[in-house]
Amino acid sequence: MAHTDHQTMRRVLRREIAGTIGLLTDEHDFRAMRRYRTFTFDDHATYLKQVEELLRTRAAQGSHTTVALFDPQQYADFCKDTGLDPDIPSSRTRFTAELAGTGPTVPYEGQPLTDLVPALVDEAVRQATWEYATTLLARLGACGTCGEDIGRAAFTRASDLLLRILESALPGEHHLVCSITGTPETLVAVLHSDENTDGAVQLDEAEALEFTTVLALGIATRSPGGLVMRTSVRGTTDRVYGWRLRGDGLEPLTAGEVFDAYCTDVDSGDLIAPESDVDYCVPPDLGPEGQLPRHNH
């Protein structure tokens, strides 16, 4: 009887353990891992199928699993830095545990792998964009004239602008895109927001941080860039408007400029048909500049 009780308790405790699986999302990374003798998979499609079945089994048992993006080069560097043998499973396990706290991850909630993989890749791009923009902001240092930290001042300015954009928007579901060029790479950040029935704005904190950081980098470096917002309300046409970056502020785009931007293929420059039920318009007035000082040095 006691033995049975112990087995029952262990089964209960097992359900309390959260797990992380490091996923090789593409064929190139999969081939890179095949150089290790203890990595026994030889077909990427079969590997993905087995991972999906494992995720389903754990979910059926009541276990929570997080899926992390497994990068073979990062893994090799991790093993070199920590003195671990990369060709043993325990090293891969330790690296995956590290990813759970620092790398891009997506919780498994029963979605098919065909939906989970793009979400995981998007999360990786988001994190890389934020880290890159943060690094560039930190490198700007202090203003040679007034001594103020340029990156911090730009982040404060970007936060103020984002707040006023959201406050001036009509109620609804908002989709914002910020694009900065010449930094030296083009950076794109996306932010989604919605409103509760009481009018409170709901934001994903990670998205908001990344969006503000990219906008701050454009402000700090005076880079060409812009911001476009799309507002959707059920039963009405979507509203699309935007601004271009000018110094440390935003200059409204005309309705025609917004229309041209949305109806031109980015790669070829060819015209594309406008969407139906979309109103291309001028943005709302963002109001006074507020009490925050503008850094013009």
Side-chain angles (χ1 to χ4, degrees):
M1 184 67 175
H3 179 68
T4 302
D5 289 342
H6 285 307
Q7 286 183 327
T8 301
M9 285 188 289
R10 280 196 292 269
R11 283 197 297 268
V12 172
L13 286 173
R14 194 175 294 117
R15 289 197 295 268
E16 300 292 328
I17 300 174
T20 303
I21 294 177
L23 182 65
L24 297 160
T25 58
D26 61 54
E27 185 75 36
H28 178 269
D29 288 346
F30 180 83
R31 287 198 303 269
M33 289 301 295
R34 290 196 61 199
R35 62 183 172 178
Y36 300 118
R37 177 185 54 82
T38 56
F39 186 80
T40 57
F41 290 96
D42 56 13
D43 178 74
H44 190 229
T46 301
Y47 161 81
L48 292 177
K49 181 179 178 180
Q50 292 296 320
V51 169
E52 187 162 24
E53 290 181 359
L54 176 59
L55 289 170
R56 289 174 178 169
T57 299
R58 285 181 54 82
Q61 295 171 345
S63 299
H64 173 77
T65 309
T66 298
V67 182
L69 187 68
F70 195 105
D71 184 287
Q73 185 56 54
Q74 289 183 359
Y75 172 63
D77 294 340
F78 173 80
C79 290
K80 181 179 179 181
D81 294 341
T82 56
L84 295 174
D85 181 356
D87 202 4
I88 56 176
S90 61
S91 297
R92 294 194 288 273
T93 301
R94 286 187 57 178
F95 176 67
T96 301
E98 184 86 5
L99 290 177
T102 61
T105 60
V106 171
Y108 177 71
E109 298 172 330
Q111 68 271 48
L113 219 57
T114 51
D115 292 338
L116 188 148
V117 169
L120 183 58
V121 172
D122 287 346
E123 181 63 25
V125 171
R126 277 183 49 192
Q127 182 168 319
T129 298
W130 174 74
E131 290 176 350
Y132 180 68
T134 300
T135 299
L136 293 183
L137 275 177
R139 288 177 179 174
L140 295 176
C143 174
T145 302
C146 68
E148 184 176 17
D149 186 287
I150 297 174
R152 185 177 295 111
F155 189 88
T156 301
R157 176 69 178 153
S159 300
D160 176 54
L161 288 171
L162 177 58
L163 178 61
R164 288 192 281 120
I165 287 171
L166 294 174
E167 288 179 341
S168 66
L170 293 173
E173 181 181 342
H174 308 301
H175 179 84
L176 295 91
V177 178
C178 180
S179 176
I180 306 298
T181 60
T183 56
E185 297 182 13
T186 297
L187 298 181
V188 178
V190 178
L191 177 63
H192 302 85
S193 75
D194 203 351
E195 294 185 9
N196 291 325
T197 54
D198 60 0
V201 176
Q202 293 179 303
L203 293 174
D204 180 278
E205 292 184 4
E207 279 192 357
L209 178 60
E210 178 202 339
F211 190 93
T212 306
T213 303
V214 170
L215 179 57
L217 182 62
I219 291 171
T221 58
R222 299 297 195 270
S223 298
L227 190 155
V228 174
M229 171 181 269
R230 181 171 185 150
T231 300
S232 302
V233 179
R234 183 174 297 180
T236 65
T237 58
D238 286 4
R239 292 171 54 85
V240 178
Y241 51 81
W243 299 263
R244 65 170 56 87
L245 276 176
R246 278 288 184 265
D248 67 346
L250 296 173
E251 179 181 277
L253 295 173
T254 66
E257 288 173 324
V258 176
F259 179 88
D260 289 342
Y262 262 75
C263 300
T264 303
D265 185 272
V266 176
D267 297 321
S268 66
D270 297 334
L271 294 178
I272 55 179
E275 294 183 63
S276 59
D277 297 326
V278 174
D279 183 14
Y280 303 96
C281 51
V282 296
D285 184 3
L286 296 182
E289 290 298 321
Q291 301 302 315
L292 292 174
R294 301 176 67 173
H295 190 274
N296 294 315
H297 297 153

